[in-house]
Amino acid sequence: MSDHEQVLRELRRELTRKIVDFARRGTTDLAPEVMDVDVSFFLDPQLYEQEFQRLFRETPLVACVSSDLPEPGSYRVFDDVAVPMLIVRDKDGRVRSFLNVCPHRGARVVRDACGKASRFTCRFHGWTFDAAGRAVGVPEEGQFCGKIDDRKRLVPCPAEERHGLVFVQATPDSTMDLDAHLGQFGRELEKLGMAQAVAVKQDEVTVRSNWKYTIDTYFENYHLPSLHRDTFARVFAHNLCMLETWGPHQRFTFPQRSIHEWKDKPESEWDVDSLPAQHLIFPNTVLTLGSVSRTGSLITMHRLFPKSVGDLTTKITLFAPSGRPSAEDLEQIDANFRSIMAAVVNEDYSVTGESYLGLSHLPPGTKFPVGRQEIGTQNFHRNVEAALQRPPGLQTGRRAIAGPR
Ligand code: FES
Ligand SMILES: [Fe+2]
C-alpha cells in the first residue's frame, strides 16, 4: 500500500472510530434545535447578487487541480463565474491568473480551453503576452508613442496552489488570503492527497434550481431511505452522521449500514475502506473521499457554479489520487461512476430541479424546517449568512455548532 493510501486509510480509521463510538452510544451529531429557513433564501434575486459577489467573486474558489497544469506553460481558461480568466503555470512553476482580456482593446486572448504555450497572441491586433502576463510583442509599437508602457500587461487575478488544488479569486487586482480562508482545514485537505491526483472521469449537470438548495442535499443523509431507497440507501445509514467544522468549511461523514454490526466487533474487523467523507471547501466545492477501487482510493469533486438565482451547473470530476489506473480498472471505475452519476442525476438533481419550480408559489414568509439531524445543512446555511454579514475581507476561526451527542 502506498504512503498516500496509508494516510487515507488512517483518516478513514480515525473517522470510523468516532462514528462507531456514536453507534455504540446510540447517538449521532445533532444540531441544538430545528432551523427555519425562509423560502426567499432560495428565491431572492437581490440576495443572490450579494452572494454571487461575496462568495463567488471575493472568495477563493477551486478552479482546477494541480495536475491540470502539469508543467511550465500549461494553461487553462476559467469562465465559470462569468469573469473570463486565464490560469497559467509560469516558467518558475508558479500558478498565475489573469483576466483573459487584452489590454489593447479587450479581445479574449486565449480562446481554447487548455493547452501548453510560452506565449499567447491576441488574434485581434496581435499583441503577444508571456506566462507572467507581460506584453512581449506589440506590432508597430512605435505608433503608440511610448504611452502604453504601464498598460502592457494582462490584469492579474489572485491565484495560488495548495494541497493539489488551484484556487483563484475572480476579482482582478484584489488580494487573496488563502491560508486564512482554509485555516486548519488545509491539513485535512492535505490528507486527501490531491497533489498526485489524476482526473479519470468528468461530467457536468445543469439544473434549474438554486445553488444552496442543491448543496443542501450533500450534507444531510435524512433523505437516503426515501429518495435513494434503491441506490445509496442499500449501502449507507441514514440516522447516523458526524459533522466536523473548520471555519466555514465542513466534513460530513456517514457510515455504511453495517456499522451496527461493527460496534460489537474489534477494530481489525471493520471495513473502513468504504466510509464516505464529504468535504465542503466553502462555498461551492465538495470533495468526497469515496470507496477504494482495486487501484486505490477514489475522490470525487463536485463544484457548483450558479448562473442565476435559479440556474446552476455542477462540474463533476472523478480522481484517482494514486495515479492513473490500468485500462481494465478504468472500465470498472467507469461503470461505477456511471451508476453513481445516474443516482445523482435521477434522484438528487431531479428532485432539486423539480421541487424548485414549486417554491415560488408558496405564500411569502413560508419557512422550511431543517431538522436537528440535518446538521450539515444547518451549518452551511449559517455560514452563508455569516459570510454575507461580515464586512469585506475574509475571517476565519474554528466554529462548531455541533450540539449534544
Ligand atoms: S485587442 Fe488584443 S491586440 Fe488589439
Ligand atoms: Fe442524495
Side-chain angles (χ1 to χ4, degrees), residues 160-212:
E160 287 184 57
E161 197 172 14
R162 293 278 190 295
H163 319 297
L165 304 166
V166 175
F167 291 85
V168 297
Q169 190 167 279
T171 300
D173 272 337
S174 65
T175 55
M176 170 172 84
D177 191 343
L178 185 56
D179 290 324
H181 176 59
L182 294 177
Q184 297 298 311
F185 193 52
R187 284 175 27 191
E188 302 307 311
L189 295 179
E190 185 65 25
K191 292 176 191 170
L192 298 179
M194 293 296 289
Q196 294 83 41
V198 184
V200 290
K201 299 297 304 174
Q202 280 178 338
D203 209 338
E204 63 179 57
V205 189
T206 295
V207 63
R208 294 183 73 84
S209 189
N210 176 262
W211 73 280
K212 291 173 298 189

Side-chain angles (χ1 to χ4, degrees), residues 9 32 94 100 104 109 120 135 142 145 147 329 345 390 394:
R9 175 165 280 193
R94 209 192 114 181
N100 191 9
H104 175 234
V109 178
F120 305 100
C145 309
K147 294 194 170 172
D329 290 333
V345 171
R390 279 201 300 258
L394 295 161

Side-chain angles (χ1 to χ4, degrees), residues 282-355:
F282 188 81
N284 72 328
T285 298
V286 183
L287 271 179
T288 302
L289 173 60
S291 57
V292 181
S293 76
R294 265 207 319 234
T295 46
S297 297
L298 295 171
I299 291 181
T300 317
M301 181 164 77
H302 287 218
R303 290 174 302 149
L304 286 77
F305 293 110
K307 307 294 173 212
S308 73
V309 66
D311 235 325
L312 81 138
T313 296
T314 298
K315 299 206 162 177
I316 301 166
T317 315
L318 179 69
F319 293 98
S322 298
R324 185 160 293 285
S326 68
E328 193 190 336
D329 290 333
L330 262 180
E331 234 173 75
Q332 194 190 352
I333 289 170
D334 187 44
N336 286 345
F337 182 71
R338 274 189 276 119
S339 69
I340 290 173
M341 279 302 297
V344 167
V345 171
N346 299 331
E347 296 170 6
D348 293 299
Y349 276 76
S350 163
V351 82
T352 47
E354 183 180 271
S355 316

